[in-house]
Amino acid sequence: MPGPLAGYTTLRTGGPAERIVAAGSADELVHAVRAAAEPVLILAGGSNVVIGDAGFPGTVVLVRSRGMRVIAEDATSVTVRVDAGEPWDDLVAATVANGWAGLECLSGIPGSTGATPIQNVGAYGQEVAETITGVEVYDRVEGTRQVIPAAECGFAYRGSIFKYMDRWVVLSVDFRLARSPLSGPVRYAELARALGVEVGEQVPLADARAVVLRLRAGKGMVLDATDPDTRSVGSFFTNPVLDRGTYEQLLERSAELGDPPAWPGADGLVKVSAAWLIDKAGFAKGHPGEGGVAISSKHTLALTNRSGTAHTSDLLTLARTISDQVHARFGVTLHPEPVLINCTL
C-alpha cells in the first residue's frame, strides 16, 4: 500500500514509500525485515523522526506488536518485558496502576516502547536507561535474535548504539521497576515546584504522573488532535553539552543577558538550556517560519507543522535559521534530537 508517510508521524510531514508493511508481532517483524529488499525503514509511533519530502526509497515496516508481561519478580522489584510496538504511555499508565516505580516521570511521551532505548528517552529527571536491563533485537548483520544487556547499549544523553546504526531492530525491552507506591526522588526543580515538594522528596506515583501530564500538556507535548502545537517531534534540539572552555566563552557572550540555565556533569562538562539559547537569539514562542511551520506557542524547543500542510523542507529551513543564529550569537552548535530520514539539517 504505497503512499505518503506523513500519516505515520506525529509531525505529519513526509513523502511516499515504495512499500509499507505492518508487523503485528516480533516474529512478523523479523520476517518482514528479512524478506524486504534494502533499504528498509523501521517505523513505530513516528514521534521522533523527520522524513524528507521525497519519502523513503524502499520498504517501511510498521511496528505494531503489543503486549507486556512480568518475566521476573521478588519482594522489591519486578522485571517486565514489553513488545516494541506497545504505546509508551499505555505502559507507563500500567506501571503506575500496578505500583511499580521508575517510569512515572516519563508519562505522556508519545511513541512506542521500542523507540525508548534508541533515544534513551528522558524527561523530568528520569531516563529509561535507569530501568532498562536488556533490549531484545534482531541483528540484521548476523541474521540472529539476541538480548543486548543495558551495559552494552551505549546509553548516553538522548542516544545509544541504536540511534545512528540500523543494524539492530528492537523487538522488545526489559525494564526492572521498584515495587513502591511512591515515585523515585523528584530530581527536576520544575516538577518539584508543581508538586509542592522539595527536590529529592518522593510523592505518590499517581500524583507524579498527573502533574507530569499537566506540565507536558501545557507545553504542547501531549498529543492532541485539536492542538496544532502537538504536530511536532517534541523537542527538536537537544540541550548542548559543552566543555568547560566553550561554556566559559558562552558566559562571556551572554554576560548582558545573565547566565543561561545550566547543569554540571562529569569531567567538567556542562549541559546548557537550548530553549534559553533559542529565545535569547531572537526566536520567541510562536515565531513563524515559511510554509505553515512555526515554533510552538507553548515551548521554544518544539518546531511545529502548525498549518498541518507544511513540508519537511519548510521545517528544516526554520531549524537551520535557528541553529545558524544561535551559533552566530553564542558560538554554540545545536544538534537535532529526532532522527532525520532522507533529509538533512
Side-chain angles (χ1 to χ4, degrees):
M1 50 178 189
L5 295 172
Y8 298 104
T9 70
T10 57
L11 188 57
R12 295 295 184 258
T13 68
E18 287 187 6
R19 183 168 178 255
I20 299 175
V21 297
S25 68
D27 289 345
E28 289 181 12
L29 181 52
V30 171
H31 175 76
V33 173
R34 282 176 171 165
E38 294 291 344
V40 177
L41 171 64
I42 312 301
L43 190 61
S47 62
N48 196 52
V49 294
V50 179
I51 300 175
D53 294 319
F56 185 74
T59 298
V60 173
V61 179
L62 302 177
V63 182
R64 297 296 182 258
S65 54
R66 298 285 299 267
M68 59 175 287
R69 55 208 174 276
V70 174
I71 60 169
E73 57 184 318
D74 56 32
T76 62
S77 70
V78 297
T79 299
V80 293
R81 178 163 295 163
V82 188
D83 288 332
E86 183 70 19
W88 174 253
D89 196 53
D90 288 1
L91 168 63
V92 178
T95 64
V96 169
N98 283 316
W100 303 337
L103 304 179
E104 60 279 355
C105 293
L106 304 177
S107 294
I109 295 174
S112 68
T113 297
T116 61
I118 297 172
Q119 181 75 2
N120 185 18
V121 163
Y124 295 105
Q126 284 183 340
E127 288 184 334
V128 293
E130 299 167 356
T131 52
I132 289 175
T133 60
V135 180
E136 184 189 13
V137 300
Y138 170 63
D139 186 332
R140 296 166 69 179
V141 173
E142 300 293 334
T144 58
R145 292 170 68 159
Q146 61 180 291
V147 174
I148 300 179
E152 298 175 18
C153 290
F155 289 127
Y157 172 60
R158 299 301 174 269
S160 69
I161 62 171
F162 311 113
K163 185 168 183 179
Y164 297 111
M165 295 180 64
D166 60 3
R167 173 175 177 172
W168 297 284
V169 179
V170 175
L171 303 177
S172 67
V173 187
D174 293 349
F175 299 89
R176 186 173 186 268
L177 306 170
R179 291 185 184 274
S180 172
L182 298 178
S183 70
V186 177
R187 302 171 185 163
Y188 204 77
E190 179 189 15
L191 179 58
R193 288 193 299 270
L195 285 162
V197 300
E198 298 295 322
V199 171
E201 291 187 41
Q202 294 174 279
V203 300
L205 290 174
D207 291 357
R209 174 170 167 78
V211 172
V212 167
L213 286 172
R214 175 165 59 81
L215 290 173
R216 288 186 62 85
K219 298 175 182 179
M221 295 294 189
V222 176
L223 291 181
D224 181 350
T226 67
D227 184 356
D229 278 333
T230 69
R231 286 195 290 266
S232 76
V233 289
S235 297
F236 192 89
F237 296 105
T238 58
N239 290 321
V241 178
L242 310 178
D243 59 42
R244 178 56 60 174
T246 305
Y247 177 63
E248 295 295 340
Q249 292 174 11
L250 169 61
L251 294 182
E252 292 178 7
R253 290 195 182 206
S254 64
E256 76 277 11
L257 300 172
D259 292 348
W263 303 268
D267 302 320
L269 299 176
V270 181
K271 184 165 64 175
V272 177
S273 168
W276 187 93
L277 295 171
I278 292 168
D279 180 71
K280 299 305 181 184
F283 300 94
K285 295 174 184 175
H287 180 92
E290 299 295 326
V293 301
I295 294 176
S296 168
S297 65
K298 303 179 183 70
H299 193 308
T300 314
L301 270 181
L303 306 186
T304 69
N305 174 9
R306 189 160 188 84
S307 67
T309 59
H311 293 92
T312 299
S313 57
D314 300 320
L315 188 91
L316 294 178
T317 295
L318 176 59
R320 291 188 200 102
T321 300
I322 293 169
S323 181
D324 289 348
Q325 186 59 31
V326 166
H327 190 271
R329 177 66 180 82
F330 298 113
V332 174
T333 300
L334 295 179
H335 297 284
E337 185 166 323
V339 177
L340 306 183
I341 305 296
N342 205 18
C343 58
T344 58
L345 185 58

